[in-house]
Amino acid sequence: MANNNKKDQMRYIELGSFVVDYNDGDVLEFNGVNDLSPLYPLKPMTCLIASCQEGWQKITANGNSLKLSKGNVLICPPDTRIVCEDHSSDFECKVVCVHEHLIRSLLRTKAEMWHRAVYIDHLHIVEMDEATREDLTTYFTLIRSKLKRSNGTLPTDILLALLRAFLLELCHMMESTNTAYSVQRLSQGKILFNRFLSLVSNSSVKRLPITEYASRLAITPKYLTMLCLKYSNKTASEWVAQYTVEEIRYYLKSTDLSIKEITARMGFSNMSHFGSYVRKHLGVSPTEYRFSKKE
């Protein structure tokens, strides 16, 4: 599942002296965390999810004051500016950090909803009822138990299945509790950014020119990129590339389509062009990636 060697795997997060229960480069898991401060600043492309079990901690996220309390989940996307302030003496939470590409890959059809909640609505704190909190705690406990029994070498397909269920549960929580999804409460810029993500996500061929997406939104490419940078700190081209790469990962790893068929389905002019694109973004040829252990 990890795309980097062991020397590079720690680059996603500043750990200091913090004890990591599991780290494979794409997923980091911590248990019994009593202060979130050592986990910041997050490295690029990393999303942090913390489930508060006891107590509270005051946090400032991108200038907004928040309080993570028992029964809440904290979701911090990449590049979030976090300042951890005061916390209660009994504060404790469970934490998992997941590389952004893995979240998109696991959620697939739900990825648009995740992006809308995290990037547009800035839904950092999600409140849970008792039943939901118990469910999430069960996911954390099950993942830790499986990792412990396997001495940190849990089969990739099992770990991915558990993470997917965990992330889908979070998506369901956000859909159920976030009242900010009403379009009437969104600015015109947020609406356009949301529509752009929806266009990319639902396009059969995602690797279209930015001019094409801008045209469909009836805005200029420059304005589209400005909106993307404003709401996600990524350019329109970066979003298109990310969705395209995840589609490639899916076809190569989860289908029996030939390389030629994938090339046509992804909208590439020929297999040589497709091969060059895969090498640029995944580091190996399509065939090598298909038969590697990487996810």
Side-chain angles (χ1 to χ4, degrees):
M1 180 165 54
N3 296 322
N4 308 281
N5 58 40
K6 289 294 181 181
K7 183 177 180 180
D8 294 332
Q9 285 174 0
M10 303 297 282
R11 69 187 178 90
Y12 296 129
I13 192 168
E14 291 287 353
L15 298 172
S17 59
F18 213 79
V19 176
V20 183
D21 293 291
Y22 177 78
N23 174 19
D24 70 5
D26 283 339
V27 180
L28 297 96
E29 190 263 343
F30 309 82
N31 189 54
V33 177
N34 53 27
D35 182 10
L36 292 172
S37 300
L39 300 180
Y40 291 94
L42 285 178
K43 288 297 185 181
M45 306 303 289
T46 302
C47 185
L48 178 142
I49 303 166
S51 175
C52 185
Q53 305 296 300
E54 298 290 342
W56 54 266
Q57 179 161 36
K58 292 182 179 179
I59 296 166
T60 300
N62 289 337
N64 297 316
S65 296
L66 305 169
K67 186 176 181 179
L68 177 62
S69 304
K70 181 178 179 178
N72 294 164
V73 171
L74 172 69
I75 300 175
C76 288
D79 301 315
T80 302
R81 298 184 301 278
I82 290 289
V83 177
C84 297
E85 301 171 352
D86 191 23
H87 61 83
S88 64
S89 58
D90 62 341
F91 176 68
E92 182 179 334
C93 63
K94 298 178 182 294
V95 177
V96 61
C97 297
V98 186
H99 195 278
E100 195 177 41
H101 88 75
L102 188 56
I103 290 178
R104 290 193 305 274
S105 176
L106 292 175
L107 289 178
R108 292 190 58 73
T109 58
K110 286 286 187 179
E112 180 190 342
M113 199 288 309
W114 176 276
H115 290 148
R116 185 169 68 245
V118 172
Y119 287 103
I120 297 178
D121 295 319
H122 302 296
L123 186 60
H124 295 307
I125 298 287
V126 182
E127 296 184 3
M128 297 182 291
D129 56 29
E130 183 64 25
T132 305
R133 186 170 69 88
E134 290 179 358
D135 287 344
L136 285 187
T137 298
T138 298
Y139 282 119
F140 274 106
T141 302
L142 182 57
I143 291 172
R144 292 200 76 248
S145 175
K146 290 289 187 180
L147 289 172
K148 185 176 181 179
R149 291 181 187 178
S150 61
N151 295 316
T153 58
L154 184 66
T156 298
D157 55 349
I158 296 178
L159 179 56
L160 291 180
L162 290 174
L163 284 173
R164 174 172 165 76
F166 172 70
L167 291 170
L168 287 173
E169 189 75 42
L170 282 176
C171 284
H172 177 71
M173 288 167 50
M174 290 189 286
E175 285 180 311
S176 300
T177 63
N178 187 21
T179 58
Y181 279 8
S182 172
V183 172
Q184 287 76 15
R185 298 184 60 181
L186 297 179
S187 68
Q188 183 63 25
K190 287 183 178 180
I191 292 173
L192 287 169
F193 176 61
N194 188 25
R195 286 179 58 197
F196 167 66
L197 291 183
S198 181
L199 281 174
V200 180
S201 177
N202 295 314
S203 293
S204 56
V205 175
K206 295 173 172 47
R207 199 182 59 87
L208 299 174
I210 299 305
T211 52
E212 175 65 21
Y213 283 115
S215 176
R216 294 183 185 184
L217 294 169
I219 60 177
T220 66
K222 183 177 180 180
Y223 185 55
L224 174 57
T225 290
M226 185 198 75
L227 290 175
C228 290
L229 288 170
K230 179 179 179 180
Y231 294 115
S232 68
N233 202 33
K234 299 177 186 175
T235 66
S237 296
E238 287 173 330
W239 275 112
V240 171
Q242 287 179 14
Y243 272 98
T244 300
V245 170
E246 291 315 316
E247 196 85 339
I248 291 172
R249 291 179 192 272
Y250 171 74
Y251 283 133
L252 289 176
K253 285 295 187 179
S254 304
T255 76
D256 294 324
L257 293 173
S258 67
I259 303 301
K260 183 178 181 180
E261 290 173 320
I262 297 174
T263 297
R265 183 166 297 197
M266 295 294 298
F268 286 87
S269 57
N270 54 62
M271 292 176 61
S272 177
H273 187 194
F274 176 68
S276 297
Y277 190 91
V278 174
R279 287 188 183 89
K280 177 182 177 180
H281 291 277
L282 297 178
V284 293
S285 71
T287 301
E288 289 172 324
Y289 187 79
R290 165 162 275 177
F291 294 105
S292 72
K293 293 183 179 180
K294 298 178 181 180
E295 293 294 333

